[in-house]
Amino acid sequence: RHSRRLHDRTGPLDVPLDLVVDSDPDPLDLAFLEEQLATAAVDALGIGAERDFAILFRDRGRLAAGVSGTIWGGCCQVHVLWVEEELRGRGLARTLMSGAEAEAKRQGCRLLMGLAYEVLTSDFYDRLGYSVVGEIDDCPAGTTTRWYRKDL
């Protein structure tokens, strides 16, 4: 575990800030930060809490593919879509995304959104009817990051 201290003498609190950069953060700390952000967003908008979901495919008891996401405020955000390499090219990712779209509709969502790396997805989302709503070239280096959306 590597960490280093950042010393900011001009912090917003008018006191020296002792900041720690952690290259291997505790997953509980990361979960805490995400929870705090989600709570602040729910409080600010006054709508219900996020609901996670996953659609999983197990091959002989072993997780071999899946999609996971979050539903909140009439929107569904896909966080992960993954298919084991030897199962790719058989339509499983398309089936998983169709399932995610159906679950989002079932829970009252009006759109589905997600982020993907060109190097991994090529035109996959385009073929499923998603629109590119933002992109950053060469991020990470050697590929493009794209944000997609699809009205349900």
Side-chain angles (χ1 to χ4, degrees):
R1 184 175 187 133
H2 302 290
S3 64
R4 63 185 168 87
R5 297 212 176 273
L6 294 178
H7 299 285
D8 184 341
R9 302 276 180 224
T10 60
L13 303 176
D14 293 327
V15 296
L17 297 179
D18 189 21
L19 305 175
V20 177
V21 178
D22 193 339
S23 64
D24 186 21
D26 184 326
L28 294 175
D29 289 342
L30 299 177
F32 175 81
L33 293 174
E34 289 182 20
E35 176 73 22
Q36 295 307 303
L37 178 62
T39 298
V42 166
D43 291 348
L45 291 173
I47 56 179
E50 295 178 335
R51 297 180 310 277
D52 294 327
F53 75 93
I55 302 170
L56 308 173
F57 171 69
R58 296 185 189 278
D59 184 19
R60 294 178 287 273
R62 179 180 50 82
L63 187 58
V67 61
S68 67
T70 302
I71 292 174
W72 182 59
C75 302
C76 174
Q77 181 177 2
V78 167
H79 296 290
V80 175
L81 171 64
W82 172 78
V83 175
E84 193 170 71
E85 193 164 345
E86 49 272 10
L87 296 175
R88 293 177 189 165
R90 300 180 188 179
L92 188 50
R94 179 184 294 271
T95 301
L96 288 166
M97 285 302 296
S98 178
E101 291 171 9
E103 180 60 16
K105 283 182 193 176
R106 187 186 76 73
Q107 293 200 39
C109 294
R110 66 183 185 285
L111 70 89
L112 193 144
M113 63 182 175
L115 163 120
Y117 304 111
E118 162 99 34
V119 69
L120 297 176
T121 61
S122 189
D123 64 347
F124 174 75
Y125 288 99
D126 303 289
R127 288 182 280 130
L128 296 181
Y130 286 78
S131 301
V132 175
V133 294
E135 65 182 26
I136 301 174
D137 294 325
D138 205 32
C139 178
T143 191
T144 298
T145 298
R146 290 198 175 97
W147 284 265
Y148 291 93
R149 75 170 279 160
K150 182 177 186 179
D151 293 326
L152 301 175

